[in-house]
Amino acid sequence: MDRRRRKVLKAGGGMGIWAALVATGIVAPAMAEGSRNVAAFEARTLDEALQALGAAAAQDSGAIRIVAPDVAEDGRAVALTVSSDIPRTEQIAILIEENPFKVAANFRLSGAMTPTIHTRVKMARTTRVHALVKAEGRIYAARREVTVTVGGCGT
């Protein structure tokens, strides 16, 4: 298959999916436009990442659950689930304290979505996983230690 044709089909399919998500109200138009927090994703220290996410003064909350293995055999793909019982959750971010880049994921949620995220992340070594939840303009946090036997990130 011609490479240009493949690229066009791939781009067109992606735009079609975004258009369908926007039309159904699952994704807000501003989210589809790609408003990415570059400073947060490029942060090299936990403090820089928290500052970029506006979470320097995040309040600890027991309403956030992080489900992760106590011991991850392979740091290249560690399964995580973050869920929030905080009403009107609009954003969930996952930070990995000892990774070269601290922000692993940042999800914006619409009101129609259940505030639960299932994902896999790379982890360089044993560290704390931070989950940040934004609801009604306030930011809440939870943490969990995960032991990694074989690291999955380079520096």
Side-chain angles (χ1 to χ4, degrees):
M1 183 181 279
D2 184 319
R3 286 186 190 262
R4 285 177 288 169
R5 182 171 180 244
R6 181 182 300 263
K7 286 182 181 180
V8 168
L9 289 173
K10 188 175 174 182
M15 290 188 310
I17 290 170
W18 273 113
L21 291 173
V22 169
T24 59
I26 293 173
V27 176
M31 294 162 72
E33 291 174 8
S35 54
R36 182 174 185 253
N37 187 340
V38 176
F41 279 97
E42 292 181 356
R44 295 296 208 141
T45 68
L46 187 60
D47 288 338
E48 287 175 3
L50 292 171
Q51 193 72 27
L53 291 168
Q59 178 182 359
D60 288 344
S61 175
I64 302 168
R65 288 179 309 286
I66 303 171
V67 178
D70 291 328
V71 178
E73 297 292 326
D74 186 353
R76 291 179 294 178
V78 180
L80 292 177
T81 298
V82 176
S83 58
S84 169
D85 290 332
I86 301 170
R88 292 175 284 289
T89 295
E90 57 196 62
Q91 186 173 354
I92 296 176
I94 300 171
L95 289 76
I96 313 295
E97 199 167 298
E98 291 295 325
N99 277 5
F101 295 97
K102 306 309 177 197
V103 178
N106 188 16
F107 300 92
R108 293 188 186 140
L109 311 174
S110 75
M113 299 172 76
T114 303
T116 300
I117 302 296
H118 303 283
T119 190
R120 293 185 183 274
V121 297
K122 286 186 175 185
M123 295 181 68
R125 58 182 136 303
T126 298
T127 188
R128 287 194 302 177
V129 173
H130 298 252
L132 302 176
V133 170
K134 183 176 182 182
E136 295 186 326
R138 298 184 69 189
I139 299 185
Y140 304 90
R143 291 159 204 79
R144 177 184 167 97
E145 182 86 16
V146 177
T147 301
V148 176
T149 56
V150 177
C153 293
T155 54

